Amino acid sequence: MRAERIRPVLVAVALLGLTGTGCGDQTNAAQRERRHPYAAVEELPEALTPDGTTIVVGEPRQMPVHMYEDVRCSLCKEVEVTGAGASLLEMTLGKEVRTEYTLSSALDGRLGGTGSKKAANALRAALEQGKFAEYRAVLLRSQPEENGDGYTDTLLLQTGSRVEGLRGPAFDSAVREMKYADFVEASQKAYEAVGAPAVPAADINGKRLPDTQSDVLLTKDVLPVWMAGYR
């Protein structure tokens, strides 16, 4: 958290009870609010992009870090658990970036099964409850073997129980009935439209992270320093 300087003149005014409500004060208040970090992942705003393909987490006005991932992908789990995931969350909480997620389900076609599609559908259902970011972290940390088809309805609901306030008739039925199948398909098409990069992949402020530097995503604490050249 960045400490804010308090100018002596403002302290004096406050002590005298001369707090004004002019345009300047409103502007300063808005600037302070933009700088003030979110206290926890539960506070992060979440939204679906207008084209219905991508989920956005964090302060909308900040620089985008666009992630392409398949929840079934073992390397995507590695990013979350031991790689850049913690740094990316910290920057999102700190209102330094917003994080965007386009979910691929390509591994279903490559390995068989429906686990990627079911997980993406469940994540869209979690978004409807304002719980996408929390549930995504739980899903990746509970990831079954990539070569299996372990994201069953049962597992998706069990992991949902670990996110406070997520489980309920709306979420449960959406998971069981693949309510957001259209989103799953649209997200996959959006992923293919940008060249279907090998996941995990990232666009940082509109620039693709080169494959030769993909280890940035898999290495803890490197991303914030490395990103300086993309601002």
Side-chain angles (χ1 to χ4, degrees):
M1 180 182 298
R2 295 188 179 91
E4 295 182 5
R5 290 185 176 179
I6 302 176
R7 297 178 182 177
V9 65
L10 292 181
V11 174
V13 169
L15 291 173
L16 291 171
L18 300 176
T19 54
T21 57
C23 294
D25 296 312
Q26 293 174 351
T27 299
N28 290 337
Q31 290 173 343
R32 287 194 297 272
E33 176 59 26
R34 285 197 294 272
R35 290 196 298 269
H36 186 71
Y38 298 104
V41 65
E42 294 85 353
E43 294 185 4
L44 288 170
E46 303 176 346
L48 186 67
T49 54
D51 64 1
T53 67
T54 297
I55 296 169
V56 181
V57 177
E59 173 56 52
R61 292 166 288 194
Q62 297 307 317
M63 184 181 82
V65 176
H66 194 122
M67 298 295 297
Y68 301 93
E69 62 184 27
D70 187 320
V71 188
R72 189 173 170 178
C73 164
S74 59
L75 286 179
C76 294
K77 176 183 178 179
E78 188 174 335
V79 171
E80 176 65 20
V81 177
T82 60
S87 294
L88 187 54
L89 175 59
E90 184 178 351
M91 288 187 289
T92 306
L93 289 169
K95 298 186 178 181
E96 299 174 57
V97 302
R98 69 177 188 267
T99 310
E100 304 173 343
Y101 296 94
T102 296
L103 303 176
S104 167
S105 49
L107 283 178
D108 284 354
R110 191 178 310 160
L111 301 175
T114 58
S116 295
K117 294 183 180 69
K118 282 182 174 290
N121 171 75
L123 283 166
R124 175 64 181 85
L127 173 65
E128 205 67 17
Q129 308 298 323
K131 301 288 184 177
F132 168 84
E134 296 170 73
Y135 187 52
R136 173 188 165 276
V138 170
L139 276 189
L140 284 169
R141 291 172 182 272
S142 306
Q143 186 188 80
E145 287 293 326
E146 180 180 297
N147 289 327
D149 193 27
Y151 278 127
T152 62
D153 292 349
T154 298
L155 179 60
L156 293 168
L157 294 173
Q158 286 175 346
T159 53
S161 297
R162 293 164 55 188
V163 178
E164 185 176 358
L166 178 57
R167 289 291 302 275
F171 176 78
D172 290 8
S173 63
V175 169
R176 292 191 178 104
E177 298 168 13
M178 279 293 291
K179 178 178 179 178
Y180 297 104
D182 288 348
F183 162 78
V184 175
E185 182 179 357
S187 192
Q188 173 63 20
K189 287 182 177 178
Y191 163 73
E192 293 170 356
V194 297
V199 293
D203 292 344
I204 301 173
N205 205 18
K207 300 176 183 177
R208 178 65 47 82
L209 176 66
D211 291 341
T212 55
Q213 296 174 330
S214 61
D215 59 336
V216 169
L217 296 176
L218 299 172
T219 307
K220 187 178 180 181
D221 299 332
V222 172
L223 186 61
V225 176
W226 190 88
M227 278 176 55
Y230 280 72
R231 292 183 181 275

